[in-house]
Amino acid sequence: MRALRLEMLADSPLAYLETLADAAARPHDEYAARVARAATGTALAQFVAEATAGPAQQRPAGPAQRRTAGRFVAHAGAHAASDDPAVTVLYAVYVSPPWRGQGLLGALVNAVADWSRAAGRPQLLLEVVVGNDRALRAYQRLGFTDTGVRLPHPTLPDLTELQMRRPA
């Protein structure tokens, strides 16, 4: 998970809420603790796709599954919205460049949607930086629509994020 997080931050530094330097400085046991917190329950989850023998054999792994073999090539985090019991918020969504366009994003979002519905939350919500048109188009293809809500980026005041929503 640490290797994938560092890749995410190196590839798309504006999309996440920490710097590559901060993530690299975090000890391995903190990554393990984060994974453990997200491995059970209905409030927080991480879904990953693991590279197996090749792109045709990738698969999403649920929050309760621990992977020890292979390399993680995609991630989608999810948590229960603090202000709306019907909503799951997606965050830290990423697909490694060589694996893009092969259905991993859809598989991860569907895994999050299944988890969300099972927890009684029928809606998914995410935020994307205005100008990240590649991500915007990908989310639109998966059924997300722009809510019209615009928010300042939490760590970079010159950027704005837009909210997108879809049924789980």
Side-chain angles (χ1 to χ4, degrees), residues 32-42 44-46 62-66 115:
R34 289 172 102 177
V35 169
R37 281 192 305 274
T40 60
T42 60
L44 176 67
Q46 291 185 33
Q65 296 173 312
R66 293 186 181 201
W115 174 79

Side-chain angles (χ1 to χ4, degrees), residues 26-150:
R26 188 175 323 115
H28 286 276
D29 60 339
E30 282 188 36
Y31 282 94
R34 289 172 102 177
V35 169
R37 281 192 305 274
T40 60
T42 60
L44 176 67
Q46 291 185 33
F47 294 83
V48 297
E50 177 185 4
T52 56
Q57 297 177 340
Q58 73 270 3
R59 60 185 176 208
Q65 296 173 312
R66 293 186 181 201
R67 300 283 185 200
T68 57
R71 178 181 173 282
F72 293 159
V73 296
H75 176 273
H79 66 82
S82 60
D83 60 346
D84 189 339
V87 173
T88 291
V89 178
L90 274 84
Y91 69 93
V93 178
Y94 179 77
V95 177
S96 186
W99 293 82
R100 292 177 184 159
Q102 298 181 44
L104 286 179
L105 179 62
L108 289 172
V109 169
N110 287 338
V112 170
D114 291 345
W115 174 79
S116 183
R117 283 191 311 274
R121 294 185 301 271
Q123 291 289 312
L124 300 179
L125 180 76
L126 59 82
E127 295 168 357
V128 62
V129 172
V130 171
N132 187 347
D133 294 335
R134 179 179 47 118
L136 181 67
R137 286 189 305 273
Y139 294 134
Q140 287 171 330
R141 284 191 298 274
L142 295 175
F144 285 90
T145 58
D146 186 343
T147 65
V149 174
R150 300 294 183 269

